Amino acid sequence: MRVAVVDIGTNSTRLLIADVGADGALAELHRESIVTRLGDRVDATGRLADDAIERVFDTLGHYRDLIDEHGVAATTAVLTSAVRDAANGAQFTSAVRERYGLDARTIGGDEEAALTFAGATSERPHDGRELVVVDIGGGSTEFVIGCDGAVGFHVSTQAGVVRQTERHIRDDPLRREDIAALRSEVAGIIEQHVPRDLRDRITQAIAVAGTATSCAAIELELDPYDPKRVHGHTLTRATCERILDDLARLTNPERRNVTGLQPDRAPTIVAGVAMLIEVFDAFGLDQLEVSEHDILRGAALRLAARPTEPDG
């Protein structure tokens, strides 16, 4: 079955078009990510801003054309943290559904975590070892612990690159004390929401989404971006510390020119790398695996597995 999944997140709006076989094998046909910053100021105002909505709508018009060109049989659009938090989130979701013909719905943090884990572990062998999948998003971060494809623990936390940037980052270049305050807040959130006994027994981690993939691309100095080299890349804590130090010294315009970094991620990447370092520390890890397989893949597999009507 040919399916299309749109992920409307706090920081970016992404598209995956793929063929999914009866055995669950997935072949990507098209994948795209555009930074739309839907979550701009939601943490402060409690509403989706009109300019942010228009950025997403422009992107969805482009994605709808691609979906039609590929003759997709079924679509789904998942809307996450910013839309969950916004007073006008339900209205926005309805507009996405009606204007672009997408089966759009706002999903809760638990479902977001489950779909992310399903995508990240879909091609991994069952080896009996527990692992944590970490998804640092714009408005929330999901931690999912499981073994052999089965989720044992999951939590969605109110920590994300847009949310923490708006709370802590005010100067350009950044002040060290602001980064320290951001890291302290994130460390406290993880401590509160992920039990110590679970963190202590984890020896392997997979990191998905823009922060982790950007760190891999920066380390590999990728220009253009190459998802095949990023997927499966081993990222160390020491590398992330170096990247954080380098990025924090730069102004936002200078960060936009860093090789491997998507320019539109420049305003939030420092918060993201700082958060990722706190993940290393919370789980006592020196390294983790970066994955291109995430909620898009999990949602595509779920969509293909259920009976659907032709998209229209």
Side-chain angles (χ1 to χ4, degrees):
M1 173 185 285
R2 182 160 296 178
V3 301
V5 177
V6 178
D7 170 27
I8 302 176
T10 301
N11 197 42
S12 60
T13 301
R14 304 184 303 145
L15 170 69
L16 171 65
I17 299 174
D19 286 333
V20 183
D23 59 353
L26 186 148
E28 292 190 7
L29 302 177
H30 184 85
R31 186 178 179 121
E32 191 166 338
S33 177
I34 298 175
V35 175
T36 48
R37 297 293 295 277
L38 179 62
D40 268 352
R41 306 182 297 281
V42 167
D43 192 51
T45 68
R47 295 184 61 83
L48 303 173
D50 290 343
D51 57 338
I53 289 173
E54 288 305 315
R55 288 195 295 271
V56 175
F57 283 168
D58 287 346
T59 298
L60 291 178
H62 166 57
Y63 287 174
R64 182 71 248 186
D65 290 342
L66 290 170
I67 290 168
D68 292 341
E69 289 171 10
H70 281 82
V72 168
T75 70
T76 190
V78 293
L79 296 83
T80 55
S81 177
V83 182
R84 287 197 298 265
D85 294 345
N88 56 342
Q91 179 183 353
F92 173 74
T93 302
S94 296
V96 170
R97 188 182 303 114
E98 293 164 6
R99 291 179 61 165
Y100 302 99
L102 299 171
D103 179 16
R105 61 195 181 90
T106 303
I107 62 172
D110 289 348
E111 185 175 1
E112 184 176 358
L115 289 174
T116 298
F117 189 81
T121 62
S122 61
E123 293 184 346
R124 296 182 70 84
H126 290 183
D127 59 8
R129 297 174 63 196
E130 267 191 319
L131 59 82
V132 60
V133 175
V134 182
D135 180 356
I136 298 176
S140 67
T141 295
E142 282 65 50
F143 296 91
V144 197
I145 295 173
C147 178
D148 294 344
V151 174
F153 170 86
H154 54 85
V155 66
S156 179
T157 65
Q158 292 288 290
V161 299
V162 174
R163 191 186 302 274
Q164 265 55 48
T165 295
E166 291 180 352
R167 287 184 180 180
H168 296 282
I169 306 302
R170 297 173 181 85
D171 295 298
D172 190 30
L174 289 74
R175 297 192 308 163
R176 293 291 172 176
E177 52 265 42
D178 291 339
I179 298 175
L182 186 157
R183 290 180 61 169
S184 178
E185 182 188 31
V186 171
I189 289 171
I190 299 173
E191 178 74 29
Q192 178 182 356
H193 292 285
V194 186
R196 166 65 67 181
D197 63 317
L198 293 181
R199 287 184 276 132
D200 285 346
R201 71 191 195 207
I202 294 299
T203 60
Q204 57 179 339
I206 302 173
V208 302
T211 291
T213 57
S214 294
C215 286
I218 290 169
E219 181 181 16
L220 294 169
E221 298 182 333
L222 297 181
D223 185 18
Y225 186 85
D226 185 350
K228 291 182 179 179
R229 292 187 65 190
V230 168
H231 183 65
H233 179 72
T234 297
L235 194 63
T236 68
R237 186 191 185 286
T239 293
C240 289
E241 283 281 11
R242 176 182 58 76
I243 291 173
L244 178 62
D245 286 343
D246 291 344
L247 293 175
R249 294 191 186 100
L250 304 177
T251 63
N252 185 61
E254 290 170 337
R255 286 193 296 275
R256 292 177 64 87
N257 292 317
V258 170
T259 302
L261 180 64
Q262 185 180 355
D264 287 344
R265 292 193 181 277
T268 59
I269 188 61
V270 171
V273 181
M275 292 173 63
L276 189 57
I277 293 170
E278 291 306 316
V279 171
F280 277 107
D281 292 349
F283 287 87
L285 300 172
D286 294 321
Q287 64 182 36
L288 52 73
E289 177 184 331
V290 179
S291 178
E292 285 278 341
H293 296 171
D294 54 23
I295 191 173
L296 283 172
R297 190 179 189 90
L301 293 171
R302 176 180 290 184
L303 179 62
R306 72 174 188 242
T308 58
E309 296 297 327
D311 179 52

